[in-house]
């Protein structure tokens, strides 16, 4: 156990995702009494409904994609390869279950008390869990985020899904329309294209993958076109209608009104922080649509209450949540805490995109001198 804690503190954490379980383990190792409240499964969105299952499908798609090109490597085939979706899903679920089990064992080994249930923050430094009241010295909110579905007319038609439902696909749609060209949308575009879907991406902004260096995106566009992934930018979706057994996405584009046909429509327009339903309003914690407002120590306007990960809206990445969680655990325990400024990010496409630090676009806009090197 690390030294430096003068007195055991009673810490409650709401949310068992990357921010929650990482802070719980670190706090316990620093000598605190820790209770973690999770209403679903530990591991949160990343492990159960996001990063891990998506990367599992990506690996399947990568292998399947490579098999189609075996002859160029001098490897003959006896016939066509088939995709067993049930086995694909079984592998994905097996990986997820193994990792969830591993986190549960880590929490147990580090003496973290885990409660399953709905948390409600009360006044007087108390939290209620399914009627049972607990007191705390410090509280960490790590409730994560959920898919954001814009108010598009027809979003509730059968066959219109979010990334959570897409992960559970049981058949490869012949035509897939993806609304949103961010990381989630483009990763699924690559995966489903590799599995055989004809993919169309409809993005409202002038470019896909906002926040990624524009030169990288520029080089990616012709690769997407070569693979048969159609991308329409500056396209504002107005309605989704069901017609003759298929879905039609209507959008206003630079070329005028257009429609895109799909057997499935994936809405991948980003995520929104989970800030309602557990008592923030009642105790006066400040938040807006971007997330809970925090200071440089990830503490809210209410002393002793912190917010880490997606729910504070600073950087929606699992490893960023974990880094914030480590920082807050050290800070609460009275240790000197520090956190890195340059957080790496990767987009799992074909090929992958990766970056760390400021983009060249940001440096230009900020007037910061820089040197650019390219290797082609």
């Amino acid at each position: 156990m690390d030294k430096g804690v003068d007195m055991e503190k009673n810490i409650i954490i709401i949310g068992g995702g990357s921010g929650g379980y990482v802070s719980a383990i670190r706090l316990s190792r620093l000598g605190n009494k820790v209770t973690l409240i999770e209403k679903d499964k530990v591991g949160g969105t990343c492990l159960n409904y996001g990063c891990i299952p998506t990367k599992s499908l990506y690996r399947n798609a990568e292998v399947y994609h490579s098999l189609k090109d075996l002859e160029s490597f001098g490897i003959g085939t006896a016939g066509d390869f088939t995709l067993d979706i049930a086995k694909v899903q079984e592998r994905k679920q097996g990986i997820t279950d193994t990792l969830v089990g591993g986190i549960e064992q880590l929490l147990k080994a580090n003496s973290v008390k885990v409660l399953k249930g709905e948390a409600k923050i009360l006044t007087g430094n108390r939290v209620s869990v399914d009627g049972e009241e607990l007191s705390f010295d410090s509280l960490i909110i790590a409730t994560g985020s959920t898919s954001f579905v814009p108010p598009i007319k027809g979003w509730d038609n059968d066959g219109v899904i979010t990334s959570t439902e897409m992960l559970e696909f049981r058949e490869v749609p012949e035509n897939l329309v993806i609304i949103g060209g961010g990381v989630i949308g483009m990763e699924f575009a690559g995966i489903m294209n590799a599995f055989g879907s004809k993919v169309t991406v409809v993005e409202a902004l002038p470019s896909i993958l906002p926040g990624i260096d524009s030169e990288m995106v520029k080089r990616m566009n012709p690769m997407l076109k070569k693979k048969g992934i159609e991308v329409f930018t500056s396209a504002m979706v107005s309605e989704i209608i069901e017609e003759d057994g298929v879905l039609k996405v209507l959008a206003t584009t630079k070329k005028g009104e257009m429609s895109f046909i799909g057997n499935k429509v994936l809405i991948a327009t980003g995520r929104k922080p989970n800030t309602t339903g557990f008592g923030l309003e009642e105790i006066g914690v400040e938040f807006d649509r971007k997330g809970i407002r925090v200071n440089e120590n990830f503490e809210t306007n209410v002393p002793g209450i912190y917010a880490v990960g997606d729910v504070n809206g600073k950087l929606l990445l699992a490893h960023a949540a974990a880094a914030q969680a480590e920082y807050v655990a050290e800070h609460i325990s009275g240790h000197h805490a520090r956190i890195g400024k340059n957080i790496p990010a990767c987009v799992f496409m074909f090929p992958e995109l990766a970056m760390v630090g400021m983009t060249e676009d940001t440096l230009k806009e900020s007037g910061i001198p820089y040197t650019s090197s390219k290797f082609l």
Side-chain angles (χ1 to χ4, degrees):
M1 182 181 295
D2 291 356
K3 305 296 183 182
V5 178
D6 297 325
M7 183 177 62
E8 178 185 81
K9 294 181 180 178
N10 189 22
I11 315 297
I12 292 179
I13 302 165
I14 302 177
S18 300
Y21 76 79
V22 170
S23 59
I25 291 169
R26 187 61 182 153
L27 281 161
S28 182
R29 289 178 177 176
L30 290 169
N32 299 286
K33 181 183 177 182
V34 185
T35 301
L36 176 67
I37 304 168
E38 171 55 53
K39 66 179 182 180
D40 188 11
K41 302 175 184 177
V42 295
T45 296
C46 175
L47 181 47
N48 293 285
Y49 313 108
C51 332
I52 300 303
T54 302
K55 297 335 173 254
S56 171
L57 292 180
Y58 172 84
R59 177 57 177 154
N60 279 80
E62 184 180 40
V63 171
Y64 193 63
H65 181 267
S66 297
L67 289 175
K68 293 179 181 179
D69 199 31
L70 281 181
E71 290 186 3
S72 67
F73 292 93
I75 302 173
T77 60
D80 292 335
F81 294 98
T82 58
L83 184 66
D84 187 333
I85 298 175
K87 287 284 183 66
V88 170
Q89 291 291 353
E90 182 182 337
R91 175 180 176 273
K92 181 204 74 180
Q93 195 58 49
I95 291 170
T96 299
D97 290 345
T98 298
L99 292 176
V100 168
I103 291 171
E104 290 174 340
Q105 288 303 312
L106 274 174
L107 291 167
K108 183 178 180 181
N110 284 278
S111 302
V112 175
K113 183 179 181 180
V114 178
L115 296 179
K116 292 293 179 73
E118 296 268 359
K120 180 79 171 180
I121 308 171
L122 308 174
T123 57
N125 285 25
R126 292 174 301 125
V127 170
S128 170
V129 187
D130 294 341
E132 178 186 359
E133 289 192 13
L134 309 170
S135 62
F136 62 83
D137 296 310
S138 294
L139 174 70
I140 299 176
I141 301 168
T143 49
S145 63
T146 190
S147 296
F148 169 68
V149 179
I152 299 170
K153 188 177 180 181
W155 66 269
D156 53 350
N157 279 317
D158 287 341
V160 181
I161 58 177
T162 67
S163 59
T164 302
E165 294 81 41
M166 187 82 257
L167 287 170
E168 302 301 323
F169 77 98
R170 295 295 167 179
E171 61 180 10
V172 176
E174 181 180 352
N175 293 284
L176 173 65
V177 178
I178 300 177
I179 301 174
V183 173
I184 296 172
M186 296 313 301
E187 286 191 342
F188 274 114
I191 290 168
M192 300 313 294
N193 172 257
F195 284 155
S197 282
K198 183 182 184 303
V199 178
T200 303
V201 178
V202 184
E203 169 57 53
L205 296 175
S207 175
I208 59 171
L209 297 171
I212 302 294
D213 193 289
S214 60
E215 185 172 353
M216 294 171 67
V217 176
K218 183 179 179 181
R219 292 182 180 278
M220 177 61 74
N221 280 324
M223 298 181 189
L224 295 173
K225 187 175 182 179
K226 186 176 181 180
K227 293 179 186 298
I229 299 175
E230 288 192 281
V231 176
F232 294 85
T233 55
S234 298
M236 186 64 68
V237 174
S238 57
E239 187 177 359
I240 305 169
I241 60 176
E242 187 176 357
E243 191 175 89
D244 299 326
V246 296
L247 294 163
K248 182 183 289 187
V249 177
L250 307 180
T252 303
T253 74
K254 292 177 288 187
K255 299 179 180 179
E257 298 298 319
M258 296 185 70
S259 62
F260 310 96
I261 303 297
N263 307 99
K264 294 284 185 182
V265 174
L266 169 61
I267 297 182
T269 47
R271 300 185 65 80
K272 61 179 180 180
N274 291 322
T275 54
T276 59
F278 53 94
L280 293 184
E281 303 92 335
E282 289 85 346
I283 62 168
V285 170
E286 295 178 355
F287 65 93
D288 56 25
R289 63 181 184 83
K290 294 181 180 179
I292 297 175
R293 297 173 185 167
V294 295
N295 62 18
E296 67 277 6
N297 292 319
F298 304 101
E299 189 171 18
T300 70
N301 61 298
V302 178
I305 298 182
Y306 299 80
V308 299
D310 287 10
V311 74
N312 67 32
K314 287 188 172 296
L315 194 58
L316 278 64
L317 294 170
H319 48 287
Q324 293 173 18
E326 290 270 2
Y327 179 98
V328 169
E330 297 285 344
H331 177 76
I332 288 175
S333 302
H335 292 198
H336 174 68
R338 60 188 301 273
I339 189 168
K341 294 182 179 179
N342 295 323
I343 306 294
C346 183
V347 187
F348 284 79
M349 297 171 62
F350 299 101
E352 299 97 334
L353 299 179
M355 60 174 284
V356 63
M358 290 185 178
T359 64
E360 186 173 357
D361 309 277
T362 302
L363 292 169
K364 284 179 179 177
E365 291 169 6
S366 303
I368 300 173
Y370 68 92
T371 299
S372 175
S373 298
K374 301 177 186 179
F375 299 88
L376 302 177

